[in-house]
Amino acid sequence: MMTSLASRAGLVLCAMLLAACAATPVKQTPVLVQTPPRVILVPDPSVAELLAYHASVRLMTPSELARAQQDMAAADASAKNNLRRAMLAATVHGTGDLVRAQALLEPIIQSTGKDEQMLAPLAQLLFAHYAETRRQDDAIEKLNGQLRDAQRRNDQLNEKLEGLKNIERSLSVRPAAGAPK
């Protein structure tokens, strides 16, 4: 009987300990988090038009590019038309065309006029792109020069090797030792 009383007391004690250990739920206070306002950029229609023009220029054939350059030569010297001229020059990508394209973009970037300021970010982007293209073209030209030099050295070494082979073949074969003379 004592063991059953002791076991009951142990159970009650364990139950009380468990009840005491049970954590009361922590009351959480809601935290207000402010989300930043959504910024909706409405592109300027003229910038969107210039981006569409840039996309179309990249798909033009050389004859279409030449025709477009002739058309732009007759157009006025507005900021939009200078951007178009720069896009055409960079797409043609002949000698000095990237430099000419950058020269057309520079006044737009540095201008303080309202129309030019709206086009300045696009002009800066194109200017940076053309500068990077020029750097890559210079690196390609340098590597091509190194390749030509290496090929020329390789050809010279092959010629020397062939000359040595010809000398070796022209040498008479020596008679074996102990052979009658």
Side-chain angles (χ1 to χ4, degrees):
M1 175 111 168
M2 191 67 141
T3 53
S4 73
L5 185 60
S7 64
R8 281 188 187 172
L11 282 174
V12 170
L13 184 60
C14 283
M16 287 173 54
L17 282 173
L18 284 175
C21 289
T24 58
V26 177
K27 186 175 180 181
Q28 293 180 348
T29 58
V31 176
L32 296 176
V33 177
Q34 291 184 351
T35 58
R38 287 184 59 194
V39 177
I40 300 173
L41 295 175
V42 179
D44 185 338
S46 62
V47 172
E49 173 197 344
L50 287 168
L51 290 172
Y53 182 76
H54 184 264
S56 69
V57 164
R58 294 184 58 191
L59 299 175
M60 288 182 181
T61 63
S63 61
E64 291 172 333
L65 285 170
R67 194 173 328 114
Q69 282 184 319
Q70 289 174 352
D71 293 343
M72 287 310 300
D76 64 341
S78 68
K80 282 184 187 180
N81 286 340
N82 282 340
L83 267 168
R84 288 185 185 107
R85 285 183 184 97
M87 290 176 194
L88 285 169
T91 304
V92 170
H93 203 97
T95 305
D97 285 334
L98 289 173
V99 174
R100 191 174 326 120
Q102 286 182 303
L104 287 166
L105 295 173
E106 218 166 341
I108 298 169
I109 294 169
Q110 295 173 354
S111 178
T112 58
K114 182 182 175 187
D115 291 339
E116 288 85 0
Q117 282 184 343
M118 289 180 15
L119 300 175
L122 177 59
Q124 289 171 341
L125 176 72
L126 290 173
F127 190 90
H129 175 66
Y130 299 156
E132 181 62 26
T133 303
R134 285 178 59 199
R135 278 191 291 277
Q136 289 175 352
D137 287 348
D138 291 344
I140 289 170
E141 189 174 318
K142 181 180 176 183
L143 289 173
N144 283 336
Q146 291 174 351
L147 177 64
R148 282 190 298 273
D149 290 343
Q151 286 173 338
R152 186 174 52 250
R153 281 192 304 266
N154 188 26
D155 290 342
Q156 289 171 348
L157 289 174
N158 280 334
E159 287 176 11
K160 287 180 182 179
L161 181 62
E162 287 300 319
L164 290 173
K165 285 181 182 179
N166 288 336
I167 291 172
E168 185 181 9
R169 280 187 228 126
S170 68
L171 292 176
S172 62
V173 179
R174 293 186 180 177
K181 291 186 177 183

